[in-house]
Amino acid sequence: VRSVTASRGPGGCGPVVVIGGGGHAKVVIDVLLLAGWAVAGYTDPAPLAGEQIAGVPWLGTDEALPRLRAEGIGWAIAAFGDNARRSHLAQRALSLGFALANAVHPSAQVSPHARLGRGIAIMPAVAVNAGSVIGDNAVLNTSSSVDHDCLLGSGVHVAPGAHLAGYITLEDDVLIGGGAIVGRGQPIRVGRGAVVGAGAVVINDVAPGTTVAGNPARVLQPRRAAPAAGNPHAP
Ligand SMILES: CC(C)(COP(=O)(O)OP(=O)(O)OC[C@H]1O[C@@H](n2cnc3c(N)ncnc32)[C@H](O)[C@@H]1OP(=O)(O)O)[C@@H](O)C(=O)NCCC(=O)NCCS
């Protein structure tokens, strides 16, 4: 978990380009507009022809980003639910000279004593309480909450309706599935790249790279690969 230097992250201004045109990007565009950003448009490899999102135009594939930067668009946000893809494209935007915008919905309650990095999406009805630190390119999805003194690394995703109690650490690239709860009245650490299944109740540390699910959450064993169809000799 890297340190975060920003205090609250940038408020609305712009113009900003949204990288991505899927369902997650649709919400990010909505949040940016409500937060007062001027949204220049979005990039996407395969939009529906001529498609606008909330009146915001498609600006081309991601190959258009250098031109958009040269034309004076100074802000970008990578808008994908997938952690790896989001972080990758945010890094690309930084390398092209964009600053990363934060999309914070007006209904979100973010403590003045919390700290936000850059490139973060905070969706409607989220709460972030005092003493918590949210790393770059995090997504705090609809109606999720991060209680006091949590430390969230970069590229994490707290899915809709998931809740973190106080003193929870999420290392980089963690996914907390929808409706999951992490907390036991003592600090818990979820290791880098771990996945917590939807609806899980996490009461112990989670090892990096593992997937846990259930109540209490336990490591999910991968299903045995099924024999390939039509190949009776497959193991
Ligand atoms: C936990 C999770 C990652 C597992 O996905 P997966 O590796 O593809 O696992 P599978 O679907 O093959 O399921 C493997 C087993 O785990 C069980 N399982 C899967 N998800 C589970 C969950 N959330 N809770 C309890 N058990 C679960 C399955 O029933 C299956 O059990 P079986 O082998 O006895 O039939 C996934 O189900 C999940 O919950 N993802 C989070 C989704 C989410 O909230 N995304 C955010 C979107 S904004």
Side-chain angles (χ1 to χ4, degrees), residues 141 157 159-160 175-179 195-200 211-214 220-221 223:
N141 224 320
H157 183 164
L175 168 63
I176 305 294
V195 174
V196 170
T211 297
V212 300
L220 206 59
Q221 300 303 333
R223 277 183 176 147

Side-chain angles (χ1 to χ4, degrees), residues 25-51:
K26 185 179 292 184
V27 184
V28 168
I29 288 171
D30 217 21
V31 171
L32 286 166
L33 292 171
L34 286 165
W37 285 86
V39 183
Y42 69 97
T43 60
D44 187 89
L48 297 178
E51 188 183 17

Side-chain angles (χ1 to χ4, degrees), residues 132-218:
S132 285
V133 178
I134 313 297
D136 294 344
N137 308 312
V139 174
L140 305 182
N141 224 320
T142 311
S143 295
S144 64
S145 66
V146 176
D147 221 287
H148 64 91
D149 300 301
C150 289
L151 187 53
L152 274 54
S154 68
V156 305
H157 183 164
V158 181
H163 300 291
L164 309 182
Y167 298 116
I168 304 302
T169 296
L170 306 184
E171 295 183 355
D172 295 349
D173 307 323
V174 162
L175 168 63
I176 305 294
I181 295 175
V182 185
R184 195 185 192 171
Q186 63 190 48
I188 294 176
R189 173 176 286 262
V190 181
R192 183 182 182 122
V195 174
V196 170
V201 178
V202 177
I203 57 171
N204 295 305
D205 287 353
V206 176
T210 54
T211 297
V212 300
N215 178 6
R218 300 187 195 288

